[in-house]
Amino acid sequence: MKTVYLQPNVAFEPLICRWYAWPFLMAPATLSLVMKNRLLPILESFVEDPEFHRSAVRNPKMRGGPFVDHDGDVAAAETLLAQMRSSVRPQLELAQALEKATELLEQTGKGNSLEPLYERIPQPLRGVVELGYDLHNHASLRLIEPLLYADALYDTSLQSVFLRPMGSKPRPFVMSTPLIDCSGGVLVNAPFADPLWDELARAREEGLDEPAFASLRSRVQQHCADMTRFDSLFTETPPAIRHSAPPQDGVRVRYFGHATLLIEGAGQSVLVDPSFAYSASAGLDCFDFHDLPQHIDYLLLTHNHQDHVLFEFLLQLRHRVGTVVVPKSNGGFLQDPSLRMILEKVGFKSVMELDELGTIALGDGSITGLPFLGEHSDLHIRSKLGYAVELAGKRVMCLADSNNLDTAMYRRIARLVPSPDLMFIGMECEGGPMSWLYGSFLTKRLSREHDEARRLNGSNFARAKSIIDDLRPRGVFVYAMGAEPWFSHITSIVYDERSIPIVESNKLIDYCMTRDIPAERLYGKREIALTQQATGSVGVNQDTP
């Protein structure tokens, strides 16, 4: 009896209304506004003038813009547009209600009591909002998020997953291009929380005998109109499991690309911001699923942006994760939906919110949440954390896209948190304007001057240098740059030697070297070993440059 395995290059592309799922498409309120103000207009524009979009996609200067990358039949896009308009009517009504309620508060919330306004709130929002002022008499509404998820506004019938083998062809930029042509894979219309995805993910390594495969096939078929390519997603060749135990006397850190770190030691495994290459499409040597341990004790998410919270990989890891750790949100404010609620709806059973300087004990070690300024366009967004992970007496600090806007904060942290052996910091210091990510939520268009000034950027050289001077790490690694070729469909980033983030991170590396601090900008794959014999220094495994 033969055993088959899910092929290592099969992607799980999570979709909502056939658009790649990112956090703002999961929370009901943000979905409604992104659908109304971004996704539908992009697809409508493509249907009206496809050649304009095709020309823009070919222009490198337009990369990351609102242009659909589809050179196939426009009729298929027209069909998808009609389906979207029909299926998201309740969400569009919610979007209109949010905009009208905001206008109502702006016009009438002048310091007087807001109680009479509850009767004037549009019907889709009745019962799910609280009206209030800040201490400066600015009126706003707070969403009661659990009630939104309990309503039909959270519609799992909009969710699906596209299974397809990845090759060398680049993927289109997912924030501008929906899945229009399904001919290259298998579209499965099952919710993200369905245990079906755990079974499929297990099949990548555990394999299925003939009865088990038939059972799985039958379950998929219940949610799939076309099973033609399903069998071709499997192989009889067993996978090459490459994970090995870390050093017994220390800690090993593996870099998987972009912001993904696997920290192992003292019998614990901690995975940060998971995303992986599919080997067949990577274009360079890399770690992938087969380099992970069978069980991941803690999965840490730093913040609620689409390049750090990727459901494509979270769905494939769900069956092997113990606890997911996320930062607390601002409790119902539109721009800061709860990551905990989103992940619970996606099917994770153990999700823990961590506050700034909150700590989780790991035997003799710990995970500590670190304050995180910047990269969110000056919006009050609380759901962002760096992490200090201590295992086996070694300390690893993951600062993600922290922008050192106030050096006094890091001086305060330095008095409370020991200096790390390794520090990982993002330096994508150019960033997009505020409207690129948050524009769908604005009732009034920002001036160009304000939009350009309020950017989604991390630390430049001067700011990163100050962090290093205050926290005194023994080794520094620049990461989370979005530079790997397999990640361009998420970030749309392509660097050259003149790119500002490259110039600034080169300055930081040179500065660290003058201080005898090992430093490097990570790309593709890296392994760093911290051993007891290397106390006070950084031991690096040179086998994985």
Side-chain angles (χ1 to χ4, degrees):
M1 182 177 295
K2 69 180 181 180
T3 299
V4 296
Y5 303 84
L6 186 69
Q7 294 199 45
N9 67 328
V10 174
F12 288 37
E13 292 189 351
L15 305 172
I16 294 177
C17 292
R18 301 264 287 275
W19 289 82
Y20 191 89
W22 45 294
F24 287 166
L25 295 192
M26 287 296 300
T30 52
L31 166 64
S32 70
L33 289 166
V34 173
M35 186 64 66
K36 174 181 178 292
N37 297 326
R38 179 183 177 94
L39 304 187
L40 279 170
I42 286 175
L43 193 54
E44 289 167 349
S45 172
F46 174 76
V47 167
E48 181 178 343
D49 191 351
E51 290 308 316
F52 170 74
H53 283 251
R54 289 165 179 164
S55 175
V57 167
R58 291 191 293 267
N59 184 349
K61 294 182 179 179
M62 308 297 282
R63 187 178 286 112
F67 309 110
V68 174
D69 186 359
H70 174 68
D71 56 6
D73 188 0
V74 177
E78 293 173 340
T79 299
L80 175 58
L81 179 59
Q83 292 172 346
M84 287 175 60
R85 287 170 171 162
S86 174
S87 62
V88 299
R89 287 175 183 169
Q91 287 74 23
L92 296 180
E93 292 174 358
L94 176 62
Q96 292 172 346
L98 284 164
E99 292 171 348
K100 289 180 179 179
T102 301
E103 292 173 4
L104 176 65
L105 288 174
E106 289 177 349
Q107 293 168 2
T108 61
K110 305 297 184 181
N112 51 303
S113 173
L114 299 176
E115 290 182 17
L117 298 187
Y118 280 94
E119 295 296 326
R120 298 173 60 185
I121 293 295
Q123 187 60 40
L125 280 177
R126 293 292 299 274
V128 296
V129 296
E130 179 184 27
L131 308 182
Y133 288 107
D134 64 17
L135 293 177
H136 304 288
N137 280 334
H138 299 142
S140 63
L141 59 84
R142 183 182 72 86
L143 298 164
I144 305 173
E145 285 190 83
L147 294 178
L148 282 172
Y149 279 105
D151 193 88
L153 288 167
Y154 181 69
D155 185 358
T156 58
S157 71
L158 304 180
Q159 299 175 4
S160 60
V161 174
F162 189 51
L163 304 171
R164 65 165 172 171
M166 300 304 302
S168 58
K169 184 179 179 181
R171 298 163 79 174
F173 181 51
V174 295
M175 294 185 68
S176 297
T177 301
L179 177 67
I180 297 173
D181 180 5
C182 300
S183 63
V186 180
L187 182 63
V188 185
N189 296 298
F192 299 154
D194 197 310
L196 174 64
W197 308 119
D198 300 319
E199 191 172 345
L200 264 170
R202 285 192 185 98
R204 196 186 298 277
E205 293 186 357
E206 297 179 8
L208 302 167
D209 61 20
E210 291 179 13
F213 178 71
S215 174
L216 175 63
R217 196 181 196 284
S218 176
R219 289 183 59 203
V220 172
Q221 195 164 17
Q222 296 174 24
H223 305 282
C224 183
D226 184 0
M227 294 286 287
T228 305
R229 295 171 181 80
F230 183 75
D231 291 4
S232 67
L233 302 179
F234 292 81
T235 178
E236 294 182 41
T237 303
I241 307 300
R242 295 185 295 268
H243 181 263
S244 59
Q248 291 185 351
D249 63 343
V251 171
R252 180 179 68 199
V253 181
R254 283 182 166 176
Y255 169 74
F256 282 68
H258 190 52
T260 304
L261 301 171
L262 174 65
I263 307 166
E264 296 177 282
Q268 300 279 351
S269 57
V270 178
L271 184 65
V272 186
D273 288 350
S275 65
F276 310 102
Y278 299 97
S279 299
S281 62
L284 67 159
D285 189 24
C286 60
F287 291 126
D288 62 23
F289 285 102
H290 301 313
D291 297 284
L292 293 171
Q294 284 300 308
H295 180 74
I296 297 163
D297 295 291
Y298 289 90
L299 189 157
L300 314 182
L301 297 176
T302 58
H303 60 296
N304 206 354
H305 285 170
Q306 70 281 357
D307 58 326
H308 293 260
V309 179
L310 289 109
F311 300 111
E312 175 175 350
F313 303 101
L314 291 172
L315 289 182
Q316 298 181 69
L317 293 172
R318 188 173 61 192
H319 69 284
R320 62 169 88 184
V321 170
T323 298
V324 183
V325 180
V326 301
K328 285 186 178 180
S329 73
N330 254 339
F333 290 97
L334 178 68
Q335 71 272 18
D336 195 13
S338 168
L339 253 179
R340 176 184 58 79
M341 290 187 203
I342 290 173
L343 291 169
E344 288 174 347
K345 290 297 180 181
V346 169
F348 284 90
K349 303 301 182 186
S350 177
V351 184
M352 177 185 298
E353 288 185 328
L354 191 64
D355 212 338
E356 295 156 338
L357 296 179
T359 296
I360 301 168
L362 300 182
D364 293 334
S366 62
I367 298 170
T368 301
L370 302 176
F372 176 169
L373 297 182
E375 225 255 336
H376 288 71
S377 302
D378 297 332
L379 292 170
H380 268 307
I381 291 177
R382 188 181 177 191
S383 57
K384 55 186 189 296
L385 280 180
Y387 293 99
V389 179
E390 181 172 349
L391 298 174
K394 299 297 181 181
R395 293 178 290 272
V396 178
M397 191 173 283
C398 312
L399 297 183
D401 300 322
S402 298
N403 194 344
N404 187 6
L405 304 179
D406 184 358
T407 58
M409 186 186 80
Y410 286 98
R411 288 195 291 272
R412 290 176 179 269
I413 292 173
R415 293 196 292 266
L416 300 170
V417 178
S419 294
D421 294 286
L422 299 178
M423 174 186 288
F424 294 84
I425 182 168
M427 293 187 66
E428 211 298 279
C429 53
E430 195 168 19
M434 175 182 173
S435 61
W436 188 84
L437 189 61
Y438 294 105
S440 297
F441 308 149
L442 304 178
T443 54
K444 295 180 180 178
R445 186 184 295 272
L446 281 177
S447 69
R448 182 176 179 83
E449 176 187 1
H450 291 166
D451 193 26
E452 290 293 331
R454 296 172 59 180
R455 301 189 75 82
L456 296 152
N457 55 357
S459 290
N460 60 14
F461 163 63
R463 291 175 175 177
K465 170 186 174 296
S466 180
I467 293 176
I468 290 164
D469 291 342
D470 289 328
L471 296 179
R472 302 182 304 281
R474 297 182 179 89
V476 173
F477 293 89
V478 178
Y479 81 141
M481 300 287 276
E484 283 82 12
W486 62 77
F487 213 68
S488 62
H489 67 294
I490 300 294
T491 64
S492 75
I493 290 174
V494 177
Y495 294 121
D496 61 35
E497 62 184 12
R498 297 166 296 177
S499 299
I500 293 174
I502 300 300
V503 172
E504 293 292 297
S505 57
N506 283 342
K507 291 179 184 177
L508 185 73
I509 293 166
D510 291 342
Y511 172 75
C512 289
M513 293 304 187
T514 66
R515 299 283 302 275
D516 294 324
I517 301 172
E520 181 181 339
R521 185 175 57 246
L522 296 177
Y523 179 75
K525 174 181 180 179
R526 198 68 162 106
E527 182 173 296
I528 305 105
L530 295 170
T531 61
Q532 297 300 335
Q533 289 81 4
T535 300
S537 63
V538 179
V540 179
N541 184 333
Q542 298 293 346
D543 294 335
T544 55

